[in-house]
Amino acid sequence: MAIINNKKADNNSQKIENLVEALGSKDWKEREDAAIELTTLGRPAIIGLLKALNSDNTMLRSGAAEVLGTYGEAALPTLLKLVAAGKENTRDGAARAIAQSGETALNELKKAAKDKDYRRRRGAALTLAYLGYLGDPTKNVLLALLRDSNEKVSFEAAKSLKSINWEPENKLQSAVFYYSLADPVNSAKYPKEIITLAMRDLNNPDDNRRKKAIDLLAKLKSESVKEAMLKYLDDSCGEVRFTAIKTLSGIYDREMIPCFVTGLKDTHSGVRLESAWALDKYGWNPVNPEEKAEYYFIKEKWIDLLQMKDAAVPVLIKNLCDENPVIRLRATEVLRAMGKPGYLAIKNALKSDDENIRKRAAEAVAIINKKDSASNSGKEEPIPEFFGKYSIEEEIKKHKSQIKASGIKSRDSWLKILLNSEIEHSKAEKISGALSNENDMVRAAAIENLRQSGISAIEPLLYLLIDKKDNVKIAAIESLGDLKARRATPYLIKLCGNENRFVRMACAESLGKIREIKSIDALTNLFSDPDESVRKAASAAVSSIGPDALPKLKSILDDSDMTVRTTAIRTISGINDPIAISYTVRMLNDYEFDVRECASKAIKKMSNSMFNPLMDECRRIIVQGNELEKLGILFALADVDDLRAKEIITVFADDRNPKISQRAADLITKTGKRPEIKTEIIPELKYGSEIDEIISGLRSTDTGVQVSASEKVFSMGDEIIEPLIESMEKSNPEVQNLTAEILIGLGDPAIDGLVKHLSSGSLSTKMICAQSLGKIQNEKAYAALSGAMYNERDPVVRTAAAESLGFAGDDMAFDALIFAIKDEDSRVRIAAIRSLGYLNSKKAIKPLISALKEEDLNIINQITDSLKSLGEDAVRELSESLHSCKNSTIRYNIAEALDSLSWVPETERDIIYYLIAKDNWEEVRKTGEVAVGPLEEILSDDNYEVRLAALETIIAIGGKKTIMPMIKALMDPNSIVRKKSEAGLVKAGESALPYLEKTVAESDNPNLKTFAMKAIVKITS
């Protein structure tokens, strides 16, 4: 009988597989019939349909999505998970399927749009592209996601808005939209708004977000860009600083000279070189030995540097520790050419307290010994170096015979190549002279200048790949990578076999920036390179190519070379794809301990970016994994500070294998919780057989058993309440919800138990109690939740309590939620703000407006959503606050909130205050004298820059009404504002004298009298 059943199951499985395959048929009738039959099959077909979502066949993906969409809410949880964490094809297919659920899906997507996991928010943005027919609800969610601080989320939201043919309604929306799309052409139409958005991203932790901001700023033609660029000069990312300094070097303003002088000391070589070029433009000369040595080194004025002798040593030792190997080798060569002072400096560096200095000094000694040895023996060095076999002095003395031997092109040849590449004539003249110079350092430096010509530089750079000097070759390779020149890929692949390790390393790094799939084979060949730095560069390059590299990486996991396998594992760990976890787990079975250890460390690294897929893999290993896999996973989870990871470890403590259970117990002991280790999984009778039987029944997957157990609970009385609450901690979410519903039905004794455990239970128990109490319309429950807001230490529990209080009435929850919006943890603040919106109380409006001082965009968006739910009353309060607020940040956020609430200004003063809040001073000026009153009020703002902008606008408006506000500004605490006020009064001339004289005569403030007299003197003189 069993055999027949298995055959039936196999036949059914094959039938489903054939039907799913038919969804990709070119015959529409075959596709239609398959879809109808799969729709009727229901749940058994789900797995096959989900797999089909990852197909490369567009028709198959679409068909699978349509069928899954007919399953309604049953398939939604799985589809939501796939749209967040699946591959690109899978995400798109899942999105189409979700969208078929219409408004039901929209409600789930609204929740996902506020999830802390960016992938869920990104998935929501993708799916909403297929729900455009729902109109404003879809649009509003996408507009919120458009302002997401995560680059991937905002980009996906912008794409979805574009696909539903959404049109921006105002300048700010347009700017945010094109900013999210990284569209330089359309962004340039809104310079002021783009600058504001870029400045808000100044402290964004995402390097790519800041790179996008600076790249868009660099393409704006606005005088205001300078101030933004100056602030980005302090960025932690070298590429961001380089773009900023490069843009600033194109603006002629002598006040920026100190910035360029500071740039000479930047850790990024590109910033240093660009600063030096900019300073040349101003005719700047160094004022002290340190500046002089920095400048000479960057400009490669080696003779001048050598003549400085000891004064140049500190700068040379600093460059000896540079991140760029080319810079380090140049410093070594100059120190060697110095003779005794240089050798003494290296000797002292070997004794330094700084480990890095000692390491680089030892590296320099090794290079110098090789060069000296080769020089003394009259033989060529066995390993080619960046600077050949001659010292800097000898290199400079070589003339045309050396030039001919090196194959350097003539100046005219280079000029022709550069002009054919459409490089501007004057620049081509300058660069051609440098590229034809016999000094390889001059040629290498010229490459940086050439690179700034963008794509026009690619052809000349390809010629430089055949330069006889490796340092020139490396500079060309790096520049081609920076330009992401796909044309260079075949040439760089060939150079991956170069005998110089620095050339190979530069090729790997540049191929990683270009990200061409056809370079994967060449890069993975470098996994067996004898030099670790080359292997690391190749690994990083393959990781940057992303999931497309996984098939190749999978194939080399079986390589006989252990180094290749470990490098492949490290590479896989850098690819953000759930499959990467499966591949790495497989390597926990490797026969080499070092490989297994590498795999465990890689899994630990991936837990930071792919935690949920890792938890899924852990659950699989609990059931199917072998000893090595389980031990490896335990090692990876050991330091992961997440409750779910600790729960997985606890499950491993019950493993039948004593080695596994003991290792898990050791890890739990570190946290102060050691479970009893059992050699067998035997149900523990803790409360008595009848209660244990009921709890076991509630956990059953059989609905009938669960119903029977639920009925028995109500016949037991109060004695079962405590065991039920305690059992929730080790139950899955479905059983927890069922148990909570049962407890609610047991009335006051159960409520007392939940209240008790909310204050004294374990973390997970507290969470469950907080969520359960929120479902009870009871003063005692709300009092307990309110108490948790004041007394609970763990922010996760406070967050759950804040969310539950959203179901309470006005008086019971209000004070606790107001207290919570000032919580130190942003998750608690967001939950409290959301719940205040649920209360639907006018009392919540003013506290919510006050909370707009937040800088966190997620919190601001949540405040806006909560205010939106409070309707016209909120709009009225926001409008009034726009007039009275003295804080520019809150004022700006109020204006943003009013935008999202579709507010329309009713009076001219409303318009003026709105424009002030948006820092649109030019539009304020155009309104004329009517703006003077509001501008005078802004002279009391907390921010001096805002006061200064308001004052400048008042001065620009002119007229008698502006004179008294200018006199008021004479008492500003900031000297810049006071000076500007005085200049404005002097500009007003004789028309200001009566007001100033009256101020001198009547004012009780001696300082104001003094300032007024000073202005009078300047006007009358």
PDB file of all heavy atoms in Angstrom, residues 27-56:
ATOM      1  N   ASP A  27       2.898  28.296 -26.845  1.00  0.00           N
ATOM      2  CA  ASP A  27       1.494  28.090 -27.209  1.00  0.00           C
ATOM      3  C   ASP A  27       0.607  28.656 -26.084  1.00  0.00           C
ATOM      4  O   ASP A  27       0.589  28.138 -24.961  1.00  0.00           O
ATOM      5  CB  ASP A  27       1.241  26.593 -27.391  1.00  0.00           C
ATOM      6  CG  ASP A  27      -0.191  26.309 -27.880  1.00  0.00           C
ATOM      7  OD1 ASP A  27      -1.083  27.182 -27.708  1.00  0.00           O
ATOM      8  OD2 ASP A  27      -0.409  25.218 -28.411  1.00  0.00           O
ATOM      9  N   TRP A  28      -0.131  29.750 -26.393  1.00  0.00           N
ATOM     10  CA  TRP A  28      -0.912  30.407 -25.335  1.00  0.00           C
ATOM     11  C   TRP A  28      -1.984  29.490 -24.749  1.00  0.00           C
ATOM     12  O   TRP A  28      -2.296  29.557 -23.561  1.00  0.00           O
ATOM     13  CB  TRP A  28      -1.564  31.693 -25.861  1.00  0.00           C
ATOM     14  CG  TRP A  28      -2.701  31.478 -26.817  1.00  0.00           C
ATOM     15  CD1 TRP A  28      -2.647  31.395 -28.157  1.00  0.00           C
ATOM     16  CD2 TRP A  28      -4.076  31.303 -26.458  1.00  0.00           C
ATOM     17  NE1 TRP A  28      -3.885  31.177 -28.700  1.00  0.00           N
ATOM     18  CE2 TRP A  28      -4.796  31.126 -27.678  1.00  0.00           C
ATOM     19  CE3 TRP A  28      -4.776  31.275 -25.254  1.00  0.00           C
ATOM     20  CZ2 TRP A  28      -6.160  30.928 -27.706  1.00  0.00           C
ATOM     21  CZ3 TRP A  28      -6.147  31.084 -25.282  1.00  0.00           C
ATOM     22  CH2 TRP A  28      -6.829  30.907 -26.502  1.00  0.00           C
ATOM     23  N   LYS A  29      -2.537  28.618 -25.600  1.00  0.00           N
ATOM     24  CA  LYS A  29      -3.585  27.706 -25.110  1.00  0.00           C
ATOM     25  C   LYS A  29      -2.996  26.727 -24.089  1.00  0.00           C
ATOM     26  O   LYS A  29      -3.620  26.438 -23.050  1.00  0.00           O
ATOM     27  CB  LYS A  29      -4.180  26.921 -26.301  1.00  0.00           C
ATOM     28  CG  LYS A  29      -5.375  26.031 -25.929  1.00  0.00           C
ATOM     29  CD  LYS A  29      -6.604  26.879 -25.601  1.00  0.00           C
ATOM     30  CE  LYS A  29      -7.871  26.052 -25.436  1.00  0.00           C
ATOM     31  NZ  LYS A  29      -7.857  25.189 -24.272  1.00  0.00           N
ATOM     32  N   GLU A  30      -1.797  26.234 -24.364  1.00  0.00           N
ATOM     33  CA  GLU A  30      -1.136  25.313 -23.424  1.00  0.00           C
ATOM     34  C   GLU A  30      -0.844  26.019 -22.107  1.00  0.00           C
ATOM     35  O   GLU A  30      -1.033  25.449 -21.032  1.00  0.00           O
ATOM     36  CB  GLU A  30       0.165  24.795 -24.049  1.00  0.00           C
ATOM     37  CG  GLU A  30       0.824  23.704 -23.209  1.00  0.00           C
ATOM     38  CD  GLU A  30       2.090  23.180 -23.876  1.00  0.00           C
ATOM     39  OE1 GLU A  30       2.358  23.518 -25.037  1.00  0.00           O
ATOM     40  OE2 GLU A  30       2.837  22.439 -23.192  1.00  0.00           O
ATOM     41  N   ARG A  31      -0.411  27.291 -22.230  1.00  0.00           N
ATOM     42  CA  ARG A  31      -0.144  28.070 -21.007  1.00  0.00           C
ATOM     43  C   ARG A  31      -1.432  28.279 -20.211  1.00  0.00           C
ATOM     44  O   ARG A  31      -1.452  28.150 -18.986  1.00  0.00           O
ATOM     45  CB  ARG A  31       0.454  29.441 -21.369  1.00  0.00           C
ATOM     46  CG  ARG A  31       1.847  29.394 -21.951  1.00  0.00           C
ATOM     47  CD  ARG A  31       2.536  30.741 -21.843  1.00  0.00           C
ATOM     48  NE  ARG A  31       1.782  31.832 -22.438  1.00  0.00           N
ATOM     49  CZ  ARG A  31       1.836  32.186 -23.714  1.00  0.00           C
ATOM     50  NH1 ARG A  31       2.619  31.511 -24.545  1.00  0.00           N
ATOM     51  NH2 ARG A  31       1.142  33.210 -24.174  1.00  0.00           N
ATOM     52  N   GLU A  32      -2.515  28.582 -20.921  1.00  0.00           N
ATOM     53  CA  GLU A  32      -3.800  28.854 -20.255  1.00  0.00           C
ATOM     54  C   GLU A  32      -4.317  27.607 -19.533  1.00  0.00           C
ATOM     55  O   GLU A  32      -4.733  27.668 -18.368  1.00  0.00           O
ATOM     56  CB  GLU A  32      -4.819  29.337 -21.282  1.00  0.00           C
ATOM     57  CG  GLU A  32      -6.162  29.725 -20.653  1.00  0.00           C
ATOM     58  CD  GLU A  32      -7.173  30.140 -21.704  1.00  0.00           C
ATOM     59  OE1 GLU A  32      -7.318  29.408 -22.715  1.00  0.00           O
ATOM     60  OE2 GLU A  32      -7.819  31.192 -21.521  1.00  0.00           O
ATOM     61  N   ASP A  33      -4.261  26.457 -20.196  1.00  0.00           N
ATOM     62  CA  ASP A  33      -4.741  25.205 -19.594  1.00  0.00           C
ATOM     63  C   ASP A  33      -3.917  24.854 -18.352  1.00  0.00           C
ATOM     64  O   ASP A  33      -4.459  24.412 -17.320  1.00  0.00           O
ATOM     65  CB  ASP A  33      -4.660  24.069 -20.608  1.00  0.00           C
ATOM     66  CG  ASP A  33      -5.663  24.246 -21.740  1.00  0.00           C
ATOM     67  OD1 ASP A  33      -6.629  25.038 -21.560  1.00  0.00           O
ATOM     68  OD2 ASP A  33      -5.481  23.619 -22.801  1.00  0.00           O
ATOM     69  N   ALA A  34      -2.592  25.042 -18.465  1.00  0.00           N
ATOM     70  CA  ALA A  34      -1.710  24.726 -17.329  1.00  0.00           C
ATOM     71  C   ALA A  34      -2.022  25.636 -16.142  1.00  0.00           C
ATOM     72  O   ALA A  34      -2.070  25.194 -14.988  1.00  0.00           O
ATOM     73  CB  ALA A  34      -0.248  24.877 -17.743  1.00  0.00           C
ATOM     74  N   ALA A  35      -2.251  26.917 -16.424  1.00  0.00           N
ATOM     75  CA  ALA A  35      -2.538  27.880 -15.356  1.00  0.00           C
ATOM     76  C   ALA A  35      -3.842  27.517 -14.635  1.00  0.00           C
ATOM     77  O   ALA A  35      -3.926  27.573 -13.404  1.00  0.00           O
ATOM     78  CB  ALA A  35      -2.620  29.287 -15.927  1.00  0.00           C
ATOM     79  N   ILE A  36      -4.870  27.136 -15.431  1.00  0.00           N
ATOM     80  CA  ILE A  36      -6.176  26.783 -14.833  1.00  0.00           C
ATOM     81  C   ILE A  36      -6.020  25.563 -13.926  1.00  0.00           C
ATOM     82  O   ILE A  36      -6.523  25.532 -12.793  1.00  0.00           O
ATOM     83  CB  ILE A  36      -7.217  26.521 -15.935  1.00  0.00           C
ATOM     84  CG1 ILE A  36      -7.542  27.838 -16.674  1.00  0.00           C
ATOM     85  CG2 ILE A  36      -8.478  25.903 -15.348  1.00  0.00           C
ATOM     86  CD1 ILE A  36      -8.343  27.655 -17.948  1.00  0.00           C
ATOM     87  N   GLU A  37      -5.316  24.555 -14.398  1.00  0.00           N
ATOM     88  CA  GLU A  37      -5.181  23.323 -13.610  1.00  0.00           C
ATOM     89  C   GLU A  37      -4.347  23.558 -12.356  1.00  0.00           C
ATOM     90  O   GLU A  37      -4.661  23.045 -11.282  1.00  0.00           O
ATOM     91  CB  GLU A  37      -4.552  22.220 -14.461  1.00  0.00           C
ATOM     92  CG  GLU A  37      -4.617  20.848 -13.778  1.00  0.00           C
ATOM     93  CD  GLU A  37      -4.414  19.712 -14.744  1.00  0.00           C
ATOM     94  OE1 GLU A  37      -4.290  19.958 -15.950  1.00  0.00           O
ATOM     95  OE2 GLU A  37      -4.385  18.567 -14.274  1.00  0.00           O
ATOM     96  N   LEU A  38      -3.263  24.366 -12.473  1.00  0.00           N
ATOM     97  CA  LEU A  38      -2.421  24.671 -11.298  1.00  0.00           C
ATOM     98  C   LEU A  38      -3.201  25.465 -10.262  1.00  0.00           C
ATOM     99  O   LEU A  38      -2.999  25.315  -9.061  1.00  0.00           O
ATOM    100  CB  LEU A  38      -1.172  25.444 -11.732  1.00  0.00           C
ATOM    101  CG  LEU A  38      -0.070  24.611 -12.407  1.00  0.00           C
ATOM    102  CD1 LEU A  38       0.946  25.522 -13.073  1.00  0.00           C
ATOM    103  CD2 LEU A  38       0.620  23.710 -11.384  1.00  0.00           C
ATOM    104  N   THR A  39      -4.092  26.319 -10.731  1.00  0.00           N
ATOM    105  CA  THR A  39      -4.920  27.114  -9.819  1.00  0.00           C
ATOM    106  C   THR A  39      -5.800  26.206  -8.967  1.00  0.00           C
ATOM    107  O   THR A  39      -5.982  26.419  -7.765  1.00  0.00           O
ATOM    108  CB  THR A  39      -5.787  28.104 -10.612  1.00  0.00           C
ATOM    109  OG1 THR A  39      -4.940  28.947 -11.381  1.00  0.00           O
ATOM    110  CG2 THR A  39      -6.632  28.958  -9.665  1.00  0.00           C
ATOM    111  N   THR A  40      -6.326  25.162  -9.585  1.00  0.00           N
ATOM    112  CA  THR A  40      -7.203  24.238  -8.842  1.00  0.00           C
ATOM    113  C   THR A  40      -6.414  23.328  -7.906  1.00  0.00           C
ATOM    114  O   THR A  40      -6.931  22.856  -6.903  1.00  0.00           O
ATOM    115  CB  THR A  40      -8.021  23.362  -9.805  1.00  0.00           C
ATOM    116  OG1 THR A  40      -7.109  22.606 -10.623  1.00  0.00           O
ATOM    117  CG2 THR A  40      -8.896  24.220 -10.709  1.00  0.00           C
ATOM    118  N   LEU A  41      -5.145  23.064  -8.228  1.00  0.00           N
ATOM    119  CA  LEU A  41      -4.328  22.173  -7.390  1.00  0.00           C
ATOM    120  C   LEU A  41      -4.014  22.792  -6.029  1.00  0.00           C
ATOM    121  O   LEU A  41      -3.878  22.098  -5.027  1.00  0.00           O
ATOM    122  CB  LEU A  41      -3.007  21.822  -8.099  1.00  0.00           C
ATOM    123  CG  LEU A  41      -3.109  20.766  -9.203  1.00  0.00           C
ATOM    124  CD1 LEU A  41      -1.795  20.636  -9.932  1.00  0.00           C
ATOM    125  CD2 LEU A  41      -3.492  19.407  -8.596  1.00  0.00           C
ATOM    126  N   GLY A  42      -3.824  24.107  -6.000  1.00  0.00           N
ATOM    127  CA  GLY A  42      -3.601  24.787  -4.727  1.00  0.00           C
ATOM    128  C   GLY A  42      -2.247  24.518  -4.094  1.00  0.00           C
ATOM    129  O   GLY A  42      -1.212  24.465  -4.763  1.00  0.00           O
ATOM    130  N   ARG A  43      -2.231  24.256  -2.790  1.00  0.00           N
ATOM    131  CA  ARG A  43      -1.001  24.177  -1.985  1.00  0.00           C
ATOM    132  C   ARG A  43       0.074  23.230  -2.551  1.00  0.00           C
ATOM    133  O   ARG A  43       1.255  23.575  -2.539  1.00  0.00           O
ATOM    134  CB  ARG A  43      -1.361  23.771  -0.555  1.00  0.00           C
ATOM    135  CG  ARG A  43      -0.190  23.792   0.416  1.00  0.00           C
ATOM    136  CD  ARG A  43      -0.650  23.454   1.821  1.00  0.00           C
ATOM    137  NE  ARG A  43      -1.565  24.467   2.335  1.00  0.00           N
ATOM    138  CZ  ARG A  43      -1.136  25.580   2.931  1.00  0.00           C
ATOM    139  NH1 ARG A  43       0.134  25.797   3.077  1.00  0.00           N
ATOM    140  NH2 ARG A  43      -2.028  26.446   3.382  1.00  0.00           N
ATOM    141  N   PRO A  44      -0.247  22.016  -3.038  1.00  0.00           N
ATOM    142  CA  PRO A  44       0.817  21.119  -3.532  1.00  0.00           C
ATOM    143  C   PRO A  44       1.668  21.732  -4.645  1.00  0.00           C
ATOM    144  O   PRO A  44       2.800  21.329  -4.858  1.00  0.00           O
ATOM    145  CB  PRO A  44       0.041  19.901  -4.052  1.00  0.00           C
ATOM    146  CG  PRO A  44      -1.240  19.921  -3.273  1.00  0.00           C
ATOM    147  CD  PRO A  44      -1.584  21.360  -3.094  1.00  0.00           C
ATOM    148  N   ALA A  45       1.100  22.712  -5.368  1.00  0.00           N
ATOM    149  CA  ALA A  45       1.838  23.288  -6.506  1.00  0.00           C
ATOM    150  C   ALA A  45       2.713  24.463  -6.105  1.00  0.00           C
ATOM    151  O   ALA A  45       3.503  24.956  -6.909  1.00  0.00           O
ATOM    152  CB  ALA A  45       0.837  23.734  -7.583  1.00  0.00           C
ATOM    153  N   ILE A  46       2.591  24.934  -4.866  1.00  0.00           N
ATOM    154  CA  ILE A  46       3.260  26.183  -4.470  1.00  0.00           C
ATOM    155  C   ILE A  46       4.771  26.105  -4.644  1.00  0.00           C
ATOM    156  O   ILE A  46       5.406  27.019  -5.196  1.00  0.00           O
ATOM    157  CB  ILE A  46       2.896  26.566  -3.012  1.00  0.00           C
ATOM    158  CG1 ILE A  46       1.455  27.089  -2.965  1.00  0.00           C
ATOM    159  CG2 ILE A  46       3.845  27.623  -2.465  1.00  0.00           C
ATOM    160  CD1 ILE A  46       0.965  27.480  -1.596  1.00  0.00           C
ATOM    161  N   ILE A  47       5.392  25.020  -4.170  1.00  0.00           N
ATOM    162  CA  ILE A  47       6.863  24.926  -4.211  1.00  0.00           C
ATOM    163  C   ILE A  47       7.366  25.012  -5.649  1.00  0.00           C
ATOM    164  O   ILE A  47       8.311  25.749  -5.959  1.00  0.00           O
ATOM    165  CB  ILE A  47       7.347  23.623  -3.545  1.00  0.00           C
ATOM    166  CG1 ILE A  47       7.031  23.664  -2.040  1.00  0.00           C
ATOM    167  CG2 ILE A  47       8.837  23.407  -3.776  1.00  0.00           C
ATOM    168  CD1 ILE A  47       7.354  22.391  -1.304  1.00  0.00           C
ATOM    169  N   GLY A  48       6.749  24.262  -6.559  1.00  0.00           N
ATOM    170  CA  GLY A  48       7.164  24.302  -7.959  1.00  0.00           C
ATOM    171  C   GLY A  48       6.987  25.685  -8.568  1.00  0.00           C
ATOM    172  O   GLY A  48       7.831  26.150  -9.335  1.00  0.00           O
ATOM    173  N   LEU A  49       5.918  26.370  -8.211  1.00  0.00           N
ATOM    174  CA  LEU A  49       5.664  27.721  -8.739  1.00  0.00           C
ATOM    175  C   LEU A  49       6.676  28.715  -8.194  1.00  0.00           C
ATOM    176  O   LEU A  49       7.140  29.609  -8.911  1.00  0.00           O
ATOM    177  CB  LEU A  49       4.240  28.150  -8.371  1.00  0.00           C
ATOM    178  CG  LEU A  49       3.119  27.416  -9.127  1.00  0.00           C
ATOM    179  CD1 LEU A  49       1.778  27.665  -8.462  1.00  0.00           C
ATOM    180  CD2 LEU A  49       3.077  27.862 -10.597  1.00  0.00           C
ATOM    181  N   LEU A  50       7.016  28.558  -6.912  1.00  0.00           N
ATOM    182  CA  LEU A  50       8.010  29.460  -6.316  1.00  0.00           C
ATOM    183  C   LEU A  50       9.366  29.298  -6.993  1.00  0.00           C
ATOM    184  O   LEU A  50      10.076  30.275  -7.248  1.00  0.00           O
ATOM    185  CB  LEU A  50       8.142  29.202  -4.807  1.00  0.00           C
ATOM    186  CG  LEU A  50       6.938  29.602  -3.953  1.00  0.00           C
ATOM    187  CD1 LEU A  50       7.133  29.168  -2.505  1.00  0.00           C
ATOM    188  CD2 LEU A  50       6.722  31.125  -3.993  1.00  0.00           C
ATOM    189  N   LYS A  51       9.735  28.054  -7.303  1.00  0.00           N
ATOM    190  CA  LYS A  51      11.008  27.819  -8.013  1.00  0.00           C
ATOM    191  C   LYS A  51      10.972  28.470  -9.392  1.00  0.00           C
ATOM    192  O   LYS A  51      11.972  28.995  -9.882  1.00  0.00           O
ATOM    193  CB  LYS A  51      11.268  26.318  -8.157  1.00  0.00           C
ATOM    194  CG  LYS A  51      11.649  25.624  -6.857  1.00  0.00           C
ATOM    195  CD  LYS A  51      11.882  24.128  -7.082  1.00  0.00           C
ATOM    196  CE  LYS A  51      12.256  23.422  -5.780  1.00  0.00           C
ATOM    197  NZ  LYS A  51      12.417  21.956  -5.983  1.00  0.00           N
ATOM    198  N   ALA A  52       9.821  28.442 -10.012  1.00  0.00           N
ATOM    199  CA  ALA A  52       9.681  28.998 -11.365  1.00  0.00           C
ATOM    200  C   ALA A  52       9.882  30.514 -11.381  1.00  0.00           C
ATOM    201  O   ALA A  52      10.223  31.085 -12.416  1.00  0.00           O
ATOM    202  CB  ALA A  52       8.302  28.646 -11.937  1.00  0.00           C
ATOM    203  N   LEU A  53       9.669  31.146 -10.255  1.00  0.00           N
ATOM    204  CA  LEU A  53       9.860  32.605 -10.190  1.00  0.00           C
ATOM    205  C   LEU A  53      11.296  33.000 -10.478  1.00  0.00           C
ATOM    206  O   LEU A  53      11.587  34.135 -10.825  1.00  0.00           O
ATOM    207  CB  LEU A  53       9.457  33.141  -8.808  1.00  0.00           C
ATOM    208  CG  LEU A  53       7.971  33.086  -8.453  1.00  0.00           C
ATOM    209  CD1 LEU A  53       7.744  33.636  -7.052  1.00  0.00           C
ATOM    210  CD2 LEU A  53       7.131  33.864  -9.454  1.00  0.00           C
ATOM    211  N   ASN A  54      12.239  32.071 -10.310  1.00  0.00           N
ATOM    212  CA  ASN A  54      13.661  32.363 -10.541  1.00  0.00           C
ATOM    213  C   ASN A  54      14.094  32.025 -11.963  1.00  0.00           C
ATOM    214  O   ASN A  54      15.257  32.135 -12.304  1.00  0.00           O
ATOM    215  CB  ASN A  54      14.522  31.594  -9.533  1.00  0.00           C
ATOM    216  CG  ASN A  54      15.945  32.080  -9.530  1.00  0.00           C
ATOM    217  OD1 ASN A  54      16.197  33.272  -9.672  1.00  0.00           O
ATOM    218  ND2 ASN A  54      16.888  31.177  -9.388  1.00  0.00           N
ATOM    219  N   SER A  55      13.158  31.601 -12.803  1.00  0.00           N
ATOM    220  CA  SER A  55      13.495  31.190 -14.164  1.00  0.00           C
ATOM    221  C   SER A  55      13.931  32.379 -15.010  1.00  0.00           C
ATOM    222  O   SER A  55      13.504  33.519 -14.795  1.00  0.00           O
ATOM    223  CB  SER A  55      12.279  30.520 -14.809  1.00  0.00           C
ATOM    224  OG  SER A  55      12.498  30.294 -16.180  1.00  0.00           O
ATOM    225  N   ASP A  56      14.785  32.100 -15.998  1.00  0.00           N
ATOM    226  CA  ASP A  56      15.178  33.130 -16.962  1.00  0.00           C
ATOM    227  C   ASP A  56      14.096  33.329 -18.020  1.00  0.00           C
ATOM    228  O   ASP A  56      14.143  34.298 -18.784  1.00  0.00           O
ATOM    229  CB  ASP A  56      16.497  32.743 -17.639  1.00  0.00           C
ATOM    230  CG  ASP A  56      17.666  32.795 -16.667  1.00  0.00           C
ATOM    231  OD1 ASP A  56      17.621  33.619 -15.745  1.00  0.00           O
ATOM    232  OD2 ASP A  56      18.607  32.006 -16.831  1.00  0.00           O
TER     233      ASP A  56
END
